[in-house]
Amino acid sequence: MSPDSPSVLPTGSLRLASLDLPPPPGCRQPSDATFFRWVNELLVAGKLIEVNKGVYINRLGHRAETAAAAASFIRRCAIVSLSYVLEQAGLTNNFGETITCIIPTRADWSPPQLSDRHFAGVGTFRFHALRLERMEPLSARHEDMYDTRFNYQRTTPEKALLDWICLANTHRSSMRDPPLDLNADELDKRRLKRLSKAMGLEAEFAAWTEKWKRYQDDPDVQANASRYLIG
């Protein structure tokens, strides 16, 4: 229940936690049947959320945690990024149940399998392969790449946007450019500049920014925005 407890608990970790509790006088440690009964009771009460078989979100210690925290348990080395991060930051007009992630790849590695993983009642995990040197460039600051408010690997909105632009300019990716109605003016411009340089994306980012600015300056777009604000 403590805030410093893990936000994601595999069955093994839960079992170890149950064994750490001293049994009442005259009682033995809980049997497997008792342990799984406890887990089921926590699930029914909404105190645990099962993402995948044997992987649970710990809502006791982290009431607002989402299934995104389990990304690296669903796919090793997965980092939450792209549209999901931008949606959750309120920078896009679209919200869905798809948790978008990046996973590392290199030229000398076999192409990774990128099939979606759907979990009923939880959502869909979607994976995109990103070259390791751009996924985590050595010259980039950790705080520029990762949102330290979360206790799992999740990019900052700035890194999420640049990951998207990178994939949109990768011939093996089916992703298109980020939407131009994105609230990009709310992003940290200095962080974007540092990251685009570290990722080797200065030209691609500049080209997207120019298109974004033209879209924002379009009279029809401004008129639509005014009508929306007036209601």
Side-chain angles (χ1 to χ4, degrees):
M1 294 178 65
S2 61
D4 60 349
S5 63
S7 57
V8 181
L9 292 163
T11 300
S13 298
L14 279 172
R15 189 69 170 115
L16 288 174
S18 73
L19 294 175
D20 283 342
L21 296 171
C27 297
R28 296 177 299 175
Q29 292 288 357
S31 65
D32 287 347
T34 298
F35 165 72
F36 284 109
R37 188 182 75 248
W38 288 348
V39 170
N40 189 62
E41 289 172 354
L42 291 170
L43 288 170
V44 171
K47 297 174 181 179
L48 291 179
I49 296 177
E50 188 172 28
V51 178
N52 193 14
K53 186 174 177 60
V55 177
Y56 306 93
I57 299 296
N58 172 21
R59 279 290 183 87
L60 273 171
H62 307 272
R63 294 184 180 181
E65 196 58 271
T66 68
S72 64
F73 289 83
I74 304 303
R75 183 72 183 261
R76 189 166 63 90
C77 299
I79 297 172
V80 179
S81 184
L82 306 169
S83 59
Y84 180 83
V85 169
L86 295 171
E87 289 167 8
Q88 295 297 308
L91 300 176
T92 71
N93 297 319
N94 300 317
F95 291 89
E97 294 183 343
T98 300
I99 300 166
T100 49
C101 308
I102 52 175
I103 58 173
T105 187
R106 284 185 7 179
D108 56 341
W109 292 357
S110 299
Q113 295 294 321
L114 298 175
S115 55
D116 292 355
R117 298 288 304 279
H118 178 73
F119 302 99
V122 174
T124 298
F125 288 81
R126 180 163 295 158
F127 303 96
H128 299 270
L130 192 63
R131 290 289 290 269
L132 184 60
E133 63 269 21
R134 287 186 164 176
M135 181 170 171
E136 198 167 66
L138 295 175
S139 61
R141 301 179 185 181
H142 185 273
E143 63 271 21
D144 282 348
M145 293 189 291
Y146 296 113
D147 194 329
T148 56
R149 294 173 299 173
F150 299 89
N151 59 2
Y152 61 94
Q153 286 200 305
R154 172 171 170 157
T155 67
T156 60
E158 292 79 12
K159 180 65 161 55
L161 174 62
L162 289 169
D163 286 345
W164 195 336
I165 292 172
C166 182
L167 287 167
N169 286 275
T170 302
H171 70 279
R172 289 187 175 181
S173 173
S174 60
M175 290 193 70
R176 298 182 178 180
D177 282 339
L180 296 175
D181 60 354
L182 189 78
N183 298 328
D185 52 343
E186 298 180 21
L187 295 170
D188 187 320
K189 294 179 177 59
R190 289 178 297 180
R191 175 174 284 171
L192 284 167
K193 184 177 180 180
R194 290 193 299 265
L195 276 173
S196 62
K197 182 178 181 179
M199 295 174 71
L201 286 174
E202 290 174 292
E204 293 88 344
F205 175 59
W208 182 84
T209 301
E210 184 59 34
K211 287 190 290 185
W212 180 84
K213 288 179 178 178
R214 289 200 301 268
Y215 177 84
Q216 302 303 315
D217 292 338
D218 187 299
D220 290 338
V221 173
Q222 293 177 349
N224 288 336
S226 297
R227 284 197 294 270
Y228 175 77
L229 290 173
I230 293 172

